[in-house]
Amino acid sequence: MKVGFLFDLDGTLVNSQIAVHESWMQIADEAGFHLPNLDGMHGLPAAVSLKKLMPDRPDEEITRWTKRLEQVEIVAAHSVFAVDGALELLSNLTDSGIPWTIVTSCTMDLAQARAGAAGIAMPAHSVTFDQVSKGKPHPEPFLLGAERIGLEPTLCWGIEDAPGGVRAAKSAGCTVAAVLTTHVKEELLEADHHLDSLDQLLRVAQIH
């Protein structure tokens, strides 16, 4: 039975924590809001997180700061690097003819900047936030990802690291493997499998 893989980007294939932290600190300073921490915001679209942090600001202002944040994050992408096993795993899937793509809450420009810095070539059929009407935790990104690699969602594995992404993939009907890079197992209980590293994925998925 043919299966495919739908990978989140940040925290799953790449480590962008330094870039994210520095970028959000800069925006918090520029926009004048308090940034206690980013807990609960990882894996969500930037506009959603900004609205939570600035609930009294009008939507037009949130949109403006969302665009500004993207600019800052693209500049900071040089500090992003691939997580252990990511490059080898993607190369293995490609060489084996197993379909995969990236499903991310980043915009295309930001995703390309971060993936490129990590040495990952973004597939042409990747799904980014600017291509969907509803982002994670809504299932739409994973439904579109499955469609783009030509498989039913039930034949796809959703690989995630954040609660919102796990929920999105699970709601889409995917088998979900959570990589424990940014959250602990207890925060990702909706996932079907929990991985300490990407190196375990093919064995858990029984891909030989």
Side-chain angles (χ1 to χ4, degrees), residues 156-168:
C156 294
W157 283 67
I159 317 302
E160 272 283 354
D161 71 302
V166 167
R167 189 168 304 116

Side-chain angles (χ1 to χ4, degrees), residues 26 127 150 195:
Q26 180 174 334
V127 178
L195 312 177

